[in-house]
Amino acid sequence: MIIFDSRGRKYYHAPLMSGPDAVQRLEDPFAFARAGGSRSGRIAIAAMPRLQDRIAGSEGVVSFQLRGGLDQRQRPLLELEVAGAAQMRCDRCLAQMDFPLKLASRVLLAEPGAAQPEDADDPEAPEWIEAGQELDVLELVEDEILLGLPYSVRHGDGKCGDWRSEGGRGAKVSPFSTLASLLDPEQTNKG
């Protein structure tokens, strides 16, 4: 929230999604699924607040494709595909890096308070979510990205930006190797 006028307390709220194809809510997700509906759009990474503490930068946009359908047992489900890139921080050198997002999921729709599907423990069965009369597409996309991000990311071997050449010989040296030179030699011999 950004306050522009401190006297009148007028607030400015940035739009969550932009563009002509932006769809923020499904009015009836069950009817959407049964009809085999399809929606697509683009969402700015900056518009996903829960994602901000997991990524290094809020630049960029992800695109999504949401399709409704029925599973083999005629239960309503949603298929979601998300593509784009997120700025992550390499855990080895701490430099920013592009992390490609190419995610796909299938979720069964369940009425609020309904019993868990019989096959919920089956690892091959789709996940399920409780859906009310409306479904926030932005939250669904953000959830999928959060679940798809790895716990730890790093550049490939020898590609970290903070590795330096030692003595002009061109040998790659870990940034932590200089810490060893700071240790007191008497303390390293104790123990």
Side-chain angles (χ1 to χ4, degrees):
M1 166 175 28
I2 300 172
I3 301 173
F4 286 111
D5 182 7
S6 60
R7 288 181 234 175
R9 294 285 181 201
K10 296 179 182 176
Y11 298 103
Y12 170 75
H13 296 281
L16 296 178
M17 297 167 38
S18 60
D21 294 331
V23 178
Q24 293 184 18
R25 295 194 177 277
L26 291 179
E27 294 300 323
D28 186 352
F30 295 96
F32 177 84
R34 286 185 197 102
S38 178
R39 302 278 169 93
S40 61
R42 297 169 49 91
I43 303 173
I45 289 183
M48 295 182 252
R50 293 179 294 142
L51 189 60
Q52 299 309 310
D53 65 340
R54 296 278 315 272
I55 59 175
S58 59
E59 304 82 34
V61 175
V62 295
S63 59
F64 72 91
Q65 175 72 36
L66 181 66
R67 289 182 299 279
L70 301 173
D71 71 351
Q72 300 89 349
R73 297 166 59 184
Q74 301 304 305
R75 298 178 294 186
L77 66 83
L78 297 175
E79 295 178 341
L80 177 64
E81 294 178 8
V82 178
Q87 289 289 313
M88 304 285 293
R89 190 160 308 281
C90 174
D91 288 338
R92 186 182 296 149
C93 70
L94 301 178
Q96 283 191 9
M97 61 183 280
D98 282 334
F99 182 79
L101 296 171
K102 183 114 173 104
L103 308 167
S105 69
R106 295 171 43 131
V107 292
L108 289 173
L109 298 177
E111 296 282 345
Q116 186 173 331
E118 311 85 50
D119 59 350
D121 294 332
D122 182 7
E124 299 297 317
E127 298 292 325
W128 62 279
I129 59 171
E130 287 186 354
Q133 292 302 313
E134 287 188 346
L135 182 70
D136 190 334
V137 175
L138 174 67
E139 284 184 16
L140 190 63
V141 171
E142 188 175 19
D143 287 344
E144 182 63 24
I145 294 172
L146 285 168
L147 291 170
L149 288 177
Y151 180 72
S152 176
V153 296
R154 65 181 187 210
H155 290 104
D157 289 337
K159 295 187 179 179
C160 281
D162 200 23
W163 291 53
R164 295 182 180 96
S165 296
E166 182 179 7
R169 288 180 273 156
K172 301 278 182 170
V173 177
S174 169
F176 297 105
S177 65
T178 56
L179 293 175
S181 67
L182 298 176
L183 291 175
D184 182 25
E186 291 181 22
Q187 288 184 352
T188 57
N189 292 333
K190 292 180 185 177

